Every structure is written in structure tokens, then in C-alpha cells.
């Protein structure tokens, strides 16, 4: 079984949502956190359980600010994911679909010079992080936002206005391995190493960023069954297996279906190529650049494959995870 050989990041290079000092944390947030269950984090010292899911200190603050201040518009589109389930890919595809009339020239496309995370901002991790009050007045309609927030935590206006939500998840084995690698890249030296065994144990207990993984997925699965016109439920593995089918589905759901003429011109293939792992990960901006929130862009591109977890997890670990998944999803109609 492989262990991480990735060098530690310095604490200064941590994105804001992982800062642990109390300086920028509001009184309200500190007060709330003192009453929340807490446990050990993978990257930071502590995670806090808010509304049934685990967050870092600054995430709790971002979530609270967002719940209080964010006002959705009917035309807004939300991309929701469990961490490491293909968020970067989904952002690229949705951005390219929705903005294809604004950027008809693929050779001058914003995705060639900006990381998808800078084009589709996270609500709680970027816009509202640290109690920031973002100026959203210049955003063109439809506004595209993303979040890892569980359904229960979404700001009321998103639910009240019945905004469209695209939810993407990935099988828990590959999600866990991707999250473990990502955590290794971000973790400061001061809190030491996390073994894969430790990460596995915590993930299985539900103790991971925005975990329990299964509860997060089930909430949105349920919503997609109850209101399919409002919540589109996607799986990373299914997009990998049939990219064209799912890109078309995504475009239709978002309200931007491909016309016959666009189909004939090969637009579906062009967008898929632009957003592919190979194209995005080889761009200068994604090899050398950093996000405005501090992470290296390259941290979001590793293998981009289905099944890499078998290179890390023992057969016993895989079986254990599969049993948890089966038990959690029993009767839901959902499986991986
Ligand atoms: P986030 O939730 O922190 O934003 P996210 O983009 O979901 O991260 O996770 C990165 C994973 O998506 C990586 O998976 P891996 O660790 O198993 O390799 C990354 O390689 C993969 N990924 C990024 N871009 C693409 C893409 N264009 N196509 C397919 N997979 C991708």
C-alpha cells in the first residue's frame, strides 16, 4: 500500500477556509462552535459538526455568513458536490455550456487561462469565507455558483426559489483516496502525518470534510427523486463512461440544450475536449498557477480515473467500505 510522498505545505499557504487561528472568527461563530461536537481533522486540528456534517472553523463561519446573507435569484444555477468527486470537471463543463455564446472561440476560451474554480466560485469557501460580504452585482445571468454544503445547510432562498441544482458524487472508494491525497498536499507540518489507515477509519465513521459522505449523497439523491426538474443527480463514473450522453443531459437540465446545428458542428465533442482531464491538467495556468484562495491549481488534477483506489486500499478495506455503502443506501435505489 502506498504512503504519501508529497511534501507538506507551509501553514501560510493554507487556503483561508483551513486557517485555525481565532482572529478572523466572529463572536457568533465562536459561540456556536463552543456548543458543537468536535473531532480531529485530516488537515486542520479540529472539525466541527454543524447541522449533522463536519466542517473546519472557517467553513462554519462561511456557511453561517452564506445562510444569513446570500440571496438567490430564480435564474441562479448551483453546482453541488461532495469534495473530490469531480467538482473541477463539473465546473468546467457547466461554465462552457452556459457561456458558449459569450465565448464562441474555443482557442480564446476563459478555461484556457483560468482554473474552473476561479470561474465558478464556491459560496462558503470563497465568496463568504471569513465573513466576507461579496459584491455580486456585476455577475452576468445566469449566475453560476458552487458549494459543498449539504442540502440541509443550503441558504433558504435557494430552496424557496426552487433554483436548479446539479449534484455530482463519486464512488466512496475513489473519493476517499482522492481526498487523502489532497489532504496530504495541504496539510501543514505542524500537525504531522495522517496515514491512509487513519484517513480510512475516519472516513468510514463519517469524519471527513462535509462528511458523513453517505448522508450528503443521500440527501441530494432524495431531492433528485422528489423534484427531478430541480435537482440533477450525476455520478463521476457515469460521466466517464458516457461523456457525450451526460454533457447533453447537463446542458438540457441547465436550460442550454445543444441545437442540431451545434451538434453537427461538433460542439459537444469540443466542450468535452476542452474540459477533459488531459487538456485542463496540461495548461500552463493549471500546472503553475494558484487559486485566488491560495491552493495550487495542480492540486486539483491527479489521476482523474475511475478505480484508482484499488492501488491503495486492501481488499478488506474495500469490502468494509462497500458494506457500509450498501447498508447506508439500503432501500434508496442508489448504488455505486
Ligand atoms: P474539489 O472537490 O476539492 O473541488 P475535485 O475537483 O472534486 O476537488 O477533485 C479532484 C479530483 O477530480 C481528482 O481526482 P483524483 O484524485 O482521483 O485524480 C482529479 O484528478 C479529478 N479531476 C479534475 N479534473 C478532472 C477532469 N477534467 N476530468 C476528470 N477528472 C478530473
Amino acid at each position: 500500500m502506498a504512503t504519501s510522498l508529497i511534501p507538506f505545505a507551509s501553514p501560510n499557504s493554507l487556503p483561508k477556509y483551513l486557517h485555525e487561528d481565532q482572529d478572523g472568527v466572529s463572536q457568533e461563530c465562536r459561540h456556536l462552535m463552543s456548543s458543537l461536537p468536535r473531532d480531529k481533522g485530516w488537515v486542520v486540528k479540529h472539525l466541527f459538526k454543524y447541522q449533522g456534517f463536519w466542517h473546519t472553523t472557517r467553513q462554519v463561519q462561511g456557511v453561517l455568513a452564506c445562510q444569513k446573507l446570500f440571496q438567490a435569484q430564480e435564474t441562479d444555477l448551483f453546482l453541488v458536490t461532495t469534495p473530490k468527486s469531480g467538482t473541477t470537471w463539473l465546473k468546467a463543463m457547466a461554465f462552457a455550456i452556459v457561456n458558449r455564446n459569450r465565448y464562441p472561440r474555443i482557442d480564446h476560451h476563459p478555461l484556457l487561462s483560468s482554473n474552473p474554480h476561479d470561474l465558478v466560485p464556491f459560496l462558503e469557501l470563497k465568496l463568504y469565507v471569513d465573513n466576507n460580504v461579496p459584491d455580486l452585482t456585476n455577475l452576468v445571468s445566469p449566475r453560476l455558483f458552487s458549494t459543498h454544503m449539504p442540502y440541509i445547510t443550503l441558504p433558504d432562498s435557494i430552496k424557496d426559489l426552487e433554483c436548479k441544482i446539479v449534484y455530482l458524487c463519486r464512488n466512496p472508494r475513489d473519493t476517499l483516496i482522492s481526498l487523502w491525497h489532497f489532504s496530504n498536499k495541504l496539510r501543514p507540518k505542524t500537525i504531522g502525518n495522517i496515514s491512509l489507515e487513519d484517513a480510512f477509519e475516519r472516513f468510514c465513521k463519517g469524519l471527513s470534510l462535509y462528511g458523513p459522505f453517505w448522508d450528503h449523497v443521500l440527501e441530494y439523491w432524495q431531492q433528485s427523486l422528489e423534484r427531478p426538474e430541480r435537482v440533477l443527480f450525476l455520478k463521476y463514473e457515469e460521466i466517464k463512461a458516457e461523456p457525450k450522453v451526460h454533457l447533453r443531459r447537463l446542458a438540457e437540465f441547465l436550460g442550454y440544450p445543444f441545437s442540431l446545428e451545434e451538434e453537427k458542428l461538433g460542439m459537444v465533442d469540443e466542450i468535452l475536449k476542452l474540459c477533459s482531464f488531459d487538456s485542463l491538467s496540461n495548461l500552463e495556468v493549471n500546472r503553475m498557477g494558484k487559486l485566488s484562495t491560495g491552493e495550487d491549481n495542480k492540486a486539483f488534477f491527479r489521476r482523474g480515473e475511475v478505480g484508482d483506489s484499488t492501488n491503495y486500499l486492501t481488499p478488506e478495506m474495500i469490502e468494509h467500505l462497500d458494506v457500509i455503502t450498501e447498508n447506508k443506501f439500503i432501500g434508496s435505489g442508489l448504488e455505486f
Side-chain angles (χ1 to χ4, degrees):
M1 187 185 311
T3 50
S4 168
L5 296 173
I6 301 157
F8 287 118
S10 80
N12 298 343
S13 64
L14 276 181
K16 268 195 186 161
Y17 62 84
L18 293 177
H19 287 191
E20 291 210 286
D21 61 284
Q22 296 284 304
D23 291 351
V25 181
S26 69
Q27 200 57 41
E28 180 199 7
C29 186
R30 284 187 216 190
H31 181 70
L32 171 72
M33 283 191 320
S34 66
S35 67
L36 297 178
R38 76 163 69 183
D39 214 312
K40 252 168 72 184
W42 298 30
V43 176
V44 293
K45 283 194 196 117
H46 295 118
L47 292 180
F48 297 84
K49 198 173 200 181
Y50 175 61
Q51 297 187 323
F53 293 83
W54 292 99
H55 303 271
T56 64
T57 306
R58 301 296 172 114
Q59 267 173 25
V60 174
Q61 170 143 293
V63 164
L64 291 181
C66 196
Q67 286 180 328
K68 201 164 18 163
L69 303 170
F70 179 71
Q71 185 52 53
Q73 298 175 359
E74 266 176 9
T75 51
D76 286 347
L77 302 168
F78 295 89
L79 309 180
V80 187
T81 54
T82 46
K84 314 326 290 180
S85 54
T87 318
T88 315
W89 192 18
L90 178 64
K91 286 186 181 189
M93 291 187 288
F95 182 88
I97 287 171
V98 167
N99 292 294
R100 63 185 188 273
N101 287 335
R102 283 177 75 201
Y103 307 113
R105 285 194 54 185
I106 294 283
D107 58 339
H108 280 68
H109 201 280
L111 279 165
L112 299 177
S113 51
S114 300
N115 180 277
H117 289 287
D118 278 334
L119 297 173
V120 184
F122 276 115
L123 288 172
E124 77 283 16
L125 301 178
K126 181 172 174 182
L127 295 175
Y128 290 88
V129 74
D130 261 355
N131 261 335
N132 185 40
V133 182
D135 177 7
L136 306 178
T137 48
N138 289 332
L139 295 184
V140 293
S141 179
R143 306 186 304 179
L144 257 182
F145 297 108
S146 75
T147 179
H148 288 316
M149 277 186 269
Y151 188 79
I152 189 174
T153 301
L154 287 182
D156 288 341
S157 60
I158 300 179
K159 298 175 191 169
D160 294 345
L161 289 174
E162 308 235 314
C163 296
K164 284 189 179 174
I165 295 172
V166 178
Y167 184 74
L168 173 65
C169 61
R170 186 181 191 182
N171 80 70
R173 295 168 241 113
D174 290 345
T175 304
L176 157 65
I177 291 304
S178 187
L179 187 59
W180 178 63
H181 277 287
F182 189 70
S183 303
N184 290 337
K185 288 177 193 162
L186 294 183
R187 200 174 36 243
K189 255 186 204 151
T190 42
I191 73 156
N193 212 343
I194 181 173
S195 67
L196 178 54
E197 289 74 8
D198 201 1
F200 175 81
E201 203 175 299
R202 290 191 217 177
F203 187 88
C204 288
K205 282 192 206 152
L207 252 167
S208 58
L209 273 194
Y210 296 92
F213 167 87
W214 299 270
D215 299 9
H216 200 289
V217 176
L218 270 175
E219 273 195 350
Y220 283 97
W221 172 246
Q222 211 52 49
Q223 289 299 322
S224 76
L225 295 181
E226 285 167 22
R227 297 186 190 81
E229 68 296 338
R230 193 163 78 81
V231 181
L232 175 68
F233 188 95
L234 298 172
K235 290 179 184 164
Y236 182 93
E237 297 75 20
E238 290 179 352
I239 308 179
K240 276 271 178 191
E242 291 185 300
K244 278 192 189 186
V245 170
H246 291 286
L247 193 81
R248 289 191 188 107
R249 256 184 98 201
L250 179 60
E252 249 164 59
F253 176 80
L254 292 173
Y256 293 80
F258 291 102
S259 66
L260 267 179
E261 199 188 337
E262 286 177 320
E263 288 275 359
K264 272 193 213 140
L265 288 170
M267 183 77 82
V268 174
D269 285 321
E270 264 191 36
I271 290 182
L272 281 174
K273 189 165 167 234
L274 174 71
C275 301
S276 70
F277 181 87
D278 284 347
S279 302
L280 291 183
S281 62
N282 282 311
L283 292 170
E284 165 96 3
V285 63
N286 291 327
R287 285 190 292 113
M288 315 297 286
K290 272 183 186 294
L291 291 188
S292 50
T293 39
E295 304 94 323
D296 285 331
N297 289 344
K298 64 174 184 273
F300 294 92
F301 303 94
R302 194 181 61 86
R303 295 286 299 273
E305 286 168 11
V306 175
D308 184 42
S309 50
T310 53
N311 297 317
Y312 294 91
L313 301 173
T314 63
E316 292 74 29
M317 285 165 140
I318 290 176
E319 198 190 329
H320 188 69
L321 257 183
D322 287 351
V323 169
I324 295 176
T325 305
E326 239 170 72
N327 288 336
K328 288 269 193 180
F329 289 173
I330 210 159
S332 70
L334 181 58
E335 52 185 35
F336 281 106

